[in-house]
Amino acid sequence: MTRPRILQIGKLLPALEQALAADYDVHLLSSEADPKAFLANAGGQFVGVATSAGVGIDGATIAALPNLKVISSFGVGFDKVDVAAARARGIPVGYTPDVLNDCVADTAFGLVIDAARRFSDSDRYLRRGDWLKAPYPLATRVSGKKLGIVGLGRIGRVIARRASGFDMEVRYHNRRPVDGVDFGYEATLEGLARWADFLVVAAAGGAESRHLISREILAALGPKGFLVNIARGTVVDEEALVEALENKTIAGAGLDVYEDEPRVPARLIACQNAVLLPHLASGTHETRKAMGDLVLENLRSFFATGQVAVAVP
């Protein structure tokens, strides 16, 4: 029996690539010297696509695959997947939510603690030998403070639960209040930023949320407030954030994502009041395996039933 031919866009975990190759006839698009010409000649051979949130698939690539029937993406974000183009052709898009909620929420809280207590900075302080000269300066307490969450979705709710262990008061801002939660709702993002000691961004990426955290929102957060972003780099106006960090118009930031990653501006790297991580929020063996398993399950489910196991909403 002929195995379904799958186009793989971008590198995936080695274990996932091996599992895909065991079940499907997989071709890596990046192995082609001229991907556009390859698709023009061979695009009709592929019935499925395996990709990731960081790479996605654009409308032009979808159009170059006339027999495409399913897309399975590794990740919770889908702002780089042209979902509208897929839907216009009735192509289901699978993704991997929920299985990464805990690790992403853990990272968010790690950034909250590190930005406030300055653990990374104090580690560098010790290694430089500066502790021999003077005690490390005092930092900011986390317990009992006010935590504002931008986007109370799956990950945002787990972050809110983490806050209870630190006796923090939690409020959130969404387009509309979320049913069935006890956390306070702020009708405006500026109001949430003005109230919060820590503003954690867990909103979806995409054009609608681009630069949602603007210069005005950072000003509302104020010189004692901290920004944490584990969502998408585009949600924050990075230039405005750098200025706020340089001018100390906010106290600090903890970032796992950037506007043009993996390229991080030199000015941002120079900000000692920012904790910078290389987009590793879901980067544990356990979570990445679970994500890979769901990529496979979405494909298997589609070829067995015509529906992916977990579809992009």
Side-chain angles (χ1 to χ4, degrees):
M1 186 179 229
T2 303
R3 297 187 301 167
R5 191 145 165 77
I6 301 291
L7 182 68
Q8 180 184 325
I9 303 179
K11 297 294 289 182
L12 297 169
L13 291 177
L16 175 55
E17 291 187 345
Q18 291 170 11
L20 284 167
D23 291 343
Y24 305 102
D25 180 4
V26 180
H27 186 81
L28 180 62
L29 183 60
S30 61
S31 68
E32 295 295 330
D34 188 343
K36 187 174 180 180
F38 171 78
L39 291 179
N41 292 324
Q45 299 175 10
F46 298 97
V47 295
V49 159
T51 186
S52 64
V55 176
I57 179 171
D58 59 22
T61 304
I62 292 173
L65 303 169
N67 295 312
L68 182 62
K69 294 180 171 58
V70 61
I71 298 169
S72 185
S73 180
F74 180 96
V76 69
F78 46 86
D79 48 299
K80 292 188 177 181
V81 175
D82 194 333
V83 177
R87 283 185 178 147
R89 285 177 45 190
I91 300 168
V93 180
Y95 74 139
T96 63
D98 292 325
V99 295
L100 46 65
N101 294 353
D102 284 324
C103 282
V104 175
D106 290 348
T107 301
F109 239 89
L111 285 169
V112 166
I113 296 169
D114 199 346
R117 296 296 307 276
R118 305 194 70 177
F119 290 150
S120 292
D121 186 63
S122 62
D123 174 85
R124 294 189 293 269
Y125 184 89
L126 182 152
R127 292 173 189 273
R128 288 193 304 265
D130 291 347
W131 192 22
L132 297 170
K133 306 170 188 175
Y136 189 76
L138 299 179
T140 300
R141 175 176 170 164
V142 173
S143 297
K145 294 295 182 68
K146 295 178 288 188
L147 183 76
I149 300 176
V150 184
L152 197 72
R154 293 179 173 95
I155 293 170
R157 294 188 201 197
V158 181
I159 294 169
R161 292 203 301 271
R162 297 287 188 274
S164 66
F166 289 82
D167 300 318
M168 301 178 87
E169 183 181 354
V170 176
R171 294 184 187 178
Y172 71 96
H173 172 73
N174 272 21
R175 293 177 184 173
R176 59 189 67 84
V178 177
D179 293 333
V181 300
D182 297 328
F183 311 116
Y185 175 71
E186 283 285 343
T188 68
L189 179 52
E190 184 174 350
L192 181 67
R194 203 172 298 283
W195 170 84
D197 297 307
F198 298 91
L199 189 66
V200 179
V201 183
E208 292 183 359
S209 63
R210 180 174 174 78
H211 290 184
L212 186 66
I213 307 301
S214 62
R215 185 170 277 100
E216 292 73 23
I217 298 304
L218 293 169
L221 183 58
K224 293 185 178 180
F226 295 85
L227 179 77
V228 168
N229 186 13
I230 46 78
R232 283 289 180 267
T234 54
V235 181
V236 175
D237 183 338
E238 201 163 77
E239 177 66 24
L241 175 60
V242 169
E243 291 178 8
L245 290 166
E246 290 176 337
N247 298 327
K248 306 295 193 296
T249 51
I250 65 171
L255 308 173
D256 187 47
V257 289
Y258 310 89
E259 283 205 69
D260 188 29
E261 58 187 49
R263 289 162 288 277
V264 179
R267 285 172 60 198
L268 181 55
I269 291 173
C271 292
Q272 295 303 304
N273 52 346
V275 181
L276 308 177
L277 304 182
H279 201 153
L280 52 69
S282 65
T284 65
H285 297 294
E286 298 87 348
T287 290
R288 292 292 173 86
K289 181 182 184 303
M291 292 168 67
D293 289 346
L294 192 46
V295 168
L296 295 168
E297 180 57 29
N298 278 327
L299 289 172
R300 289 167 183 159
S301 175
F302 174 79
F303 288 116
T305 70
Q307 300 293 327
V308 294
V310 184
V312 164

